[in-house]
Amino acid sequence: MSSVRGTLALTVLLILLTISPGHVQDHKLLPPTETPILTIEGNIRTTNADGVAQFDRDMLERLGMTTLTTTTPWFTGPVEFEGVLLEQIMAFVGAQGTEVVAVALNDYRTTIPLKDFNEFDVILALKRDKKYMPVSDKGPLFVVYPYDSSPELHTQKYYARSIWQLTRLIVR
């Protein structure tokens, strides 16, 4: 239990280090130091560029990484994904709404209910089998459900929400 508290305390500290000084209700993320790989826009409270929240890979990783091993229809056998819980990302940017429109590099779009992120512990994967995912292989970001945790998740409904080459989330 103390290990979980220590991890939580470290995560909160790292999050606070990415926020510029100011009032809690109007804090801003520091701008990315590398090329942004994720932009979150729409109904959010925390921003760092013209009403949007931009994240580079390091910023996402500092939010706290988690590992998920599951089978998918896109790979043979169980795959280990590593990424950030989408529920945590939405809380960090102060997302207000009921859904997000997820947009891929090729402009593929899918709508995901925000409640999915909490209900299923959906992650925004940066790594597959301990390696960063290149654009040519579903990267740099892939929305992954814990498919093996429930037969309900082994359906087209959830596979269609599992967008890869993710670049943008629009909260509404």
Side-chain angles (χ1 to χ4, degrees), residues 1-6:
M1 186 68 159
S2 64
S3 162
V4 171
R5 284 189 200 143

Side-chain angles (χ1 to χ4, degrees), residues 16-56:
L16 290 174
L17 290 174
T18 66
I19 302 173
S20 63
H23 301 297
V24 172
Q25 66 265 32
D26 63 359
H27 66 268
K28 302 260 187 214
L29 284 171
L30 293 176
T33 57
E34 301 292 327
T35 303
I37 60 171
L38 176 66
T39 299
I40 303 174
E41 61 189 79
N43 198 2
I44 61 173
R45 290 191 312 258
T46 304
T47 64
N48 62 2
D50 261 346
V52 301
Q54 293 183 329
F55 293 85
D56 60 26

Side-chain angles (χ1 to χ4, degrees), residues 68-88:
L68 165 66
T69 301
T70 190
T71 57
T72 77
W74 307 285
F75 303 104
T76 303
V79 177
E80 180 184 271
F81 292 99
E82 198 175 340
V84 183
L85 288 167
L86 273 156
E87 174 186 24
Q88 187 172 349

